[in-house]
């Protein structure tokens, strides 16, 4: 069996390395014409990959392997009949790292130290800890689990929320009682830190609006590494610093320079870089190799979230 595979960069091709006999790999950045009419496995660019999917129209594609976990809205841009796999297993660790980093930076007021350093000021503060805080983790998929594992050594009081209530036995965390999303309103008033790790889409859009944000106690911290649409940005601005926020994802993105969120008191912003670390390239390369090997064996690919039928 032979396979024709395209990846968007020479760097990714290099990371994938030598491939089994019968596999031909070519770099295609989606800016030029498609190298062939039939592509067995195509990897779109990491940034802007969803908008580039129109380049696949009229091609015979066996599988699109995304470099991102999220796929909300993809079915509207992907030409019909093409299966689509997300990048589960690639970004969970890096996204969990930035969730923890944002929480720590906000709690320990790192932004104040950075500003003080620019002026050569010695400016100590007595800050909030992460230890002993009541943390509400909303979302317990791959990213949520990775965040929970990294929070555990920090001695927090962790409560987990997901779509459905259920007990979960986790190899690292032990028994976890997952609460249903319908319980959110009763859990928020007791939360000191809320970490969002939910996917986007109609079901979760503006889950945190004026009414929901109002349930949080004064000076609570909300950390969002899921999707920007989870939070009604205008509603967060209207909180006017009553609650704090540390955000790696926003709505809209990129956040316009004149947007009031930039200057909202108590808000820390990172520009959607949760998965953008040195861990990404070797992990996406491993996933692509895994897909190739499965296709050569005649096995179904993993991570298929749109079957193309």
């Amino acid at each position: 069996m032979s396979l024709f595979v395209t990846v968007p960069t020479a760097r990714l091709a290099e990371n994938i390395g030598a491939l089994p006999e019968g596999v031909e790999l070519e770099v295609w950045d989606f800016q030029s014409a498609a190298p062939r009419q039939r592509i067995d496995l195509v990897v779109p660019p990491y940034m802007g990959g969803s908008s580039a999917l129109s380049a696949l129209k009229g091609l015979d594609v066996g599988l699109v392997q995304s470099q991102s976990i999220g796929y909300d809205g993809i079915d509207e841009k992907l030409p019909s009949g093409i299966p689509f796999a997300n990048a589960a297993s690639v970004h969970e660790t890096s996204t969990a790292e930035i969730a923890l980093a944002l929480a720590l930076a906000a709690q320990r007021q790192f932004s104040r130290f950075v500003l003080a350093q620019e002026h050569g000021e010695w400016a100590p503060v007595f800050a909030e800890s992460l230890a002993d805080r009541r943390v509400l983790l909303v979302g317990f998929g791959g990213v949520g689990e990775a965040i929970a594992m990294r929070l555990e050594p920090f001695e927090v009081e962790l409560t987990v929320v997901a779509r459905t209530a259920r007990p979960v036995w986790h190899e690292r965390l032990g028994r976890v009682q997952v609460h249903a999303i319908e319980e959110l309103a009763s859990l928020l008033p007791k939360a000191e830190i809320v970490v969002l790790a939910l996917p986007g889409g109609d079901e979760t859009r503006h889950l945190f609006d004026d009414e929901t944000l109002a349930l949080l106690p004064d000076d609570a911290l909300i950390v969002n590494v899921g999707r920007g649409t989870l939070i009604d940005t205008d509603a967060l601005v209207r909180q006017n610093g009553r609650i704090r926020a540390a955000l790696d994802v926003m709505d809209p993105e990129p956040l316009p320079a004149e947007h009031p969120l930039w200057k909202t008191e108590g808000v820390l912003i990172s520009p959607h870089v949760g998965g953008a670390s040195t861990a990404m390239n070797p992990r996406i390369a491993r996933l692509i190799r895994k897909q190739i090997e499965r296709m050569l064996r005649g096995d179904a690919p993993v991570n298929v979230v749109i079957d193309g039928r």
Side-chain angles (χ1 to χ4, degrees):
M1 181 179 183
S2 62
L3 294 176
F4 181 63
V5 178
T6 70
V7 296
T9 65
R11 182 181 180 182
L12 182 52
E14 183 179 348
N15 279 324
I16 293 171
L19 288 167
E21 185 177 350
V23 179
E24 184 180 352
L25 186 144
E26 188 168 325
V27 175
W28 178 39
D29 62 4
F30 278 55
Q31 299 300 311
S32 57
R36 291 189 190 175
Q37 176 65 25
R38 167 67 187 183
I39 305 176
D40 297 288
L41 174 61
V42 59
V43 182
Y46 176 48
M47 301 304 292
S50 61
S51 60
L53 292 176
S54 59
L56 302 177
K57 189 174 182 179
L59 299 180
D60 181 11
V61 177
L63 177 70
V64 174
Q65 174 57 65
S66 172
Q67 297 190 68
S68 300
I69 297 177
Y71 56 94
D72 44 297
I74 291 294
D75 53 349
E76 299 171 3
K77 299 174 181 178
L78 184 70
S80 61
I82 300 178
F84 181 94
N86 76 346
S89 78
V90 173
H91 299 291
E92 287 84 348
T93 295
S94 288
T95 305
E97 285 178 352
I98 207 162
L100 198 65
L102 285 169
L104 285 167
Q107 290 294 92
R108 302 305 297 265
Q109 300 187 37
F110 282 8
S111 57
R112 291 184 55 165
F113 302 148
V114 171
L115 292 173
Q117 183 175 343
E118 290 182 357
H119 302 288
E121 297 177 3
W122 187 262
V125 296
F126 190 87
E128 294 286 341
S129 68
L130 182 54
D132 302 331
R133 299 285 69 82
R134 295 185 298 274
V135 178
L136 184 63
L137 174 60
V138 185
F140 202 54
V143 172
E145 287 189 19
I147 293 170
M149 286 191 291
R150 284 154 183 79
L151 284 171
E152 193 274 336
F154 283 83
E155 301 176 23
V156 303
E157 183 182 324
L158 183 64
T159 302
V160 176
V161 172
R163 180 177 297 178
T164 56
R166 62 194 188 277
V168 173
W169 176 259
H170 193 277
E171 183 178 355
R172 293 272 297 277
L173 301 170
R175 187 182 185 278
V176 178
Q177 178 57 52
V178 178
H179 296 264
I181 197 74
E182 288 79 14
E183 301 176 63
L184 193 59
S186 64
L187 296 170
L188 286 172
K190 300 175 184 177
E192 295 172 290
I193 300 173
V194 178
V195 182
L196 303 183
L198 288 169
D202 293 340
E203 290 185 7
T204 59
R205 180 174 176 80
H206 290 181
L207 181 65
F208 282 76
D209 54 12
D210 285 294
E211 183 178 351
T212 311
L213 292 172
L215 296 173
L216 286 166
D218 292 350
D219 205 40
L221 171 67
I222 186 165
V223 178
N224 190 6
V225 295
R227 279 291 179 265
T229 53
L230 299 176
I231 300 175
D232 181 341
T233 306
D234 293 338
L236 181 59
V237 170
R238 285 191 288 270
Q239 289 291 311
N240 197 28
R242 185 190 72 83
I243 61 172
R244 297 170 296 133
L247 312 171
D248 185 53
V249 288
M250 281 132 283
D251 181 27
E253 288 187 8
L255 194 66
E258 68 278 7
H259 198 286
L261 187 65
W262 287 111
K263 296 182 179 180
T264 301
E265 184 179 352
V267 173
L268 175 62
I269 292 173
S270 60
H272 202 155
V273 292
S277 78
T278 53
M280 177 185 170
N281 284 322
R283 290 173 186 241
I284 188 64
R286 285 199 296 269
L287 177 57
I288 293 167
R289 286 188 63 90
K290 181 178 183 178
Q291 299 287 44
I292 290 170
E293 290 164 0
R294 292 183 67 87
M295 293 173 80
L296 284 173
R297 294 195 303 265
D299 295 338
V302 297
N303 295 355
V304 174
V305 291
I306 300 174
D307 62 17
R309 290 180 291 185

